[in-house]
PDB file of all heavy atoms in Angstrom:
ATOM      1  N   GLY E1635      78.760 197.043 101.943  1.00 95.00           N
ATOM      2  CA  GLY E1635      79.413 196.741 103.181  1.00 95.00           C
ATOM      3  C   GLY E1635      78.701 195.688 104.027  1.00 95.00           C
ATOM      4  O   GLY E1635      78.927 195.637 105.217  1.00 95.00           O
ATOM      5  N   VAL E1636      77.872 194.845 103.423  1.00 96.00           N
ATOM      6  CA  VAL E1636      77.204 193.802 104.139  1.00 96.00           C
ATOM      7  C   VAL E1636      77.919 192.493 103.959  1.00 96.00           C
ATOM      8  O   VAL E1636      78.067 192.026 102.820  1.00 96.00           O
ATOM      9  CB  VAL E1636      75.706 193.674 103.699  1.00 96.00           C
ATOM     10  CG1 VAL E1636      75.039 192.485 104.357  1.00 96.00           C
ATOM     11  CG2 VAL E1636      74.940 194.966 104.045  1.00 96.00           C
ATOM     12  N   THR E1637      78.363 191.881 105.037  1.00 96.00           N
ATOM     13  CA  THR E1637      79.095 190.598 104.939  1.00 96.00           C
ATOM     14  C   THR E1637      78.249 189.367 105.197  1.00 96.00           C
ATOM     15  O   THR E1637      78.606 188.278 104.829  1.00 96.00           O
ATOM     16  CB  THR E1637      80.240 190.623 105.971  1.00 96.00           C
ATOM     17  OG1 THR E1637      79.714 190.780 107.310  1.00 96.00           O
ATOM     18  CG2 THR E1637      81.266 191.783 105.647  1.00 96.00           C
ATOM     19  N   ARG E1638      77.063 189.620 105.836  1.00 96.00           N
ATOM     20  CA  ARG E1638      76.140 188.471 106.150  1.00 96.00           C
ATOM     21  C   ARG E1638      74.738 188.932 106.235  1.00 96.00           C
ATOM     22  O   ARG E1638      74.487 190.025 106.834  1.00 96.00           O
ATOM     23  CB  ARG E1638      76.568 187.832 107.464  1.00 96.00           C
ATOM     24  CG  ARG E1638      75.606 186.751 107.969  1.00 96.00           C
ATOM     25  CD  ARG E1638      76.110 186.154 109.299  1.00 96.00           C
ATOM     26  NE  ARG E1638      75.140 185.256 109.910  1.00 96.00           N
ATOM     27  CZ  ARG E1638      74.225 185.671 110.782  1.00 96.00           C
ATOM     28  NH1 ARG E1638      74.167 186.964 111.122  1.00 96.00           N
ATOM     29  NH2 ARG E1638      73.380 184.816 111.301  1.00 96.00           N
ATOM     30  N   LEU E1639      73.803 188.251 105.589  1.00 95.00           N
ATOM     31  CA  LEU E1639      72.418 188.588 105.681  1.00 95.00           C
ATOM     32  C   LEU E1639      71.580 187.344 105.863  1.00 95.00           C
ATOM     33  O   LEU E1639      71.668 186.403 105.064  1.00 95.00           O
ATOM     34  CB  LEU E1639      71.973 189.309 104.371  1.00 95.00           C
ATOM     35  CG  LEU E1639      70.468 189.588 104.224  1.00 95.00           C
ATOM     36  CD1 LEU E1639      70.023 190.544 105.302  1.00 95.00           C
ATOM     37  CD2 LEU E1639      70.127 190.149 102.834  1.00 95.00           C
ATOM     38  N   VAL E1640      70.809 187.314 106.907  1.00 94.00           N
ATOM     39  CA  VAL E1640      69.902 186.183 107.195  1.00 94.00           C
ATOM     40  C   VAL E1640      68.516 186.756 107.393  1.00 94.00           C
ATOM     41  O   VAL E1640      68.328 187.705 108.193  1.00 94.00           O
ATOM     42  CB  VAL E1640      70.352 185.439 108.465  1.00 94.00           C
ATOM     43  CG1 VAL E1640      69.321 184.355 108.768  1.00 94.00           C
ATOM     44  CG2 VAL E1640      71.695 184.777 108.171  1.00 94.00           C
ATOM     45  N   VAL E1641      67.556 186.214 106.731  1.00 94.00           N
ATOM     46  CA  VAL E1641      66.136 186.601 106.915  1.00 94.00           C
ATOM     47  C   VAL E1641      65.359 185.393 107.446  1.00 94.00           C
ATOM     48  O   VAL E1641      65.435 184.274 106.866  1.00 94.00           O
ATOM     49  CB  VAL E1641      65.514 187.081 105.579  1.00 94.00           C
ATOM     50  CG1 VAL E1641      64.047 187.532 105.765  1.00 94.00           C
ATOM     51  CG2 VAL E1641      66.320 188.243 105.005  1.00 94.00           C
ATOM     52  N   ARG E1642      64.639 185.583 108.502  1.00 94.00           N
ATOM     53  CA  ARG E1642      63.930 184.446 109.152  1.00 94.00           C
ATOM     54  C   ARG E1642      62.679 184.995 109.853  1.00 94.00           C
ATOM     55  O   ARG E1642      62.378 186.185 109.879  1.00 94.00           O
ATOM     56  CB  ARG E1642      64.875 183.777 110.185  1.00 94.00           C
ATOM     57  CG  ARG E1642      65.427 184.769 111.215  1.00 94.00           C
ATOM     58  CD  ARG E1642      66.156 184.078 112.303  1.00 94.00           C
ATOM     59  NE  ARG E1642      66.777 185.026 113.243  1.00 94.00           N
ATOM     60  CZ  ARG E1642      66.130 185.710 114.158  1.00 94.00           C
ATOM     61  NH1 ARG E1642      64.803 185.545 114.325  1.00 94.00           N
ATOM     62  NH2 ARG E1642      66.764 186.523 114.953  1.00 94.00           N
ATOM     63  N   ALA E1643      61.958 184.022 110.445  1.00 94.00           N
ATOM     64  CA  ALA E1643      60.764 184.398 111.220  1.00 94.00           C
ATOM     65  C   ALA E1643      61.216 184.962 112.567  1.00 94.00           C
ATOM     66  O   ALA E1643      62.243 184.628 113.088  1.00 94.00           O
ATOM     67  CB  ALA E1643      59.890 183.149 111.408  1.00 94.00           C
ATOM     68  N   PRO E1644      60.346 185.843 113.118  1.00 95.00           N
ATOM     69  CA  PRO E1644      60.704 186.389 114.449  1.00 95.00           C
ATOM     70  C   PRO E1644      60.572 185.359 115.565  1.00 95.00           C
ATOM     71  O   PRO E1644      59.892 184.397 115.422  1.00 95.00           O
ATOM     72  CB  PRO E1644      59.640 187.496 114.623  1.00 95.00           C
ATOM     73  CG  PRO E1644      58.520 187.118 113.790  1.00 95.00           C
ATOM     74  CD  PRO E1644      59.093 186.397 112.594  1.00 95.00           C
ATOM     75  N   SER E1645      61.336 185.563 116.636  1.00 96.00           N
ATOM     76  CA  SER E1645      61.378 184.613 117.766  1.00 96.00           C
ATOM     77  C   SER E1645      61.234 185.356 119.079  1.00 96.00           C
ATOM     78  O   SER E1645      61.271 186.574 119.118  1.00 96.00           O
ATOM     79  CB  SER E1645      62.724 183.841 117.765  1.00 96.00           C
ATOM     80  OG  SER E1645      63.755 184.706 118.019  1.00 96.00           O
ATOM     81  N   LEU E1646      61.053 184.558 120.135  1.00 96.00           N
ATOM     82  CA  LEU E1646      61.025 185.156 121.483  1.00 96.00           C
ATOM     83  C   LEU E1646      62.347 185.869 121.800  1.00 96.00           C
ATOM     84  O   LEU E1646      62.338 186.903 122.485  1.00 96.00           O
ATOM     85  CB  LEU E1646      60.769 184.067 122.516  1.00 96.00           C
ATOM     86  CG  LEU E1646      60.690 184.522 123.997  1.00 96.00           C
ATOM     87  CD1 LEU E1646      59.559 185.565 124.191  1.00 96.00           C
ATOM     88  CD2 LEU E1646      60.431 183.290 124.881  1.00 96.00           C
TER      89      LEU E1646
END
Side-chain angles (χ1 to χ4, degrees):
V1636 174
T1637 59
R1638 174 179 171 270
L1639 172 64
V1640 174
V1641 180
R1642 56 171 176 77
S1645 67
L1646 180 59

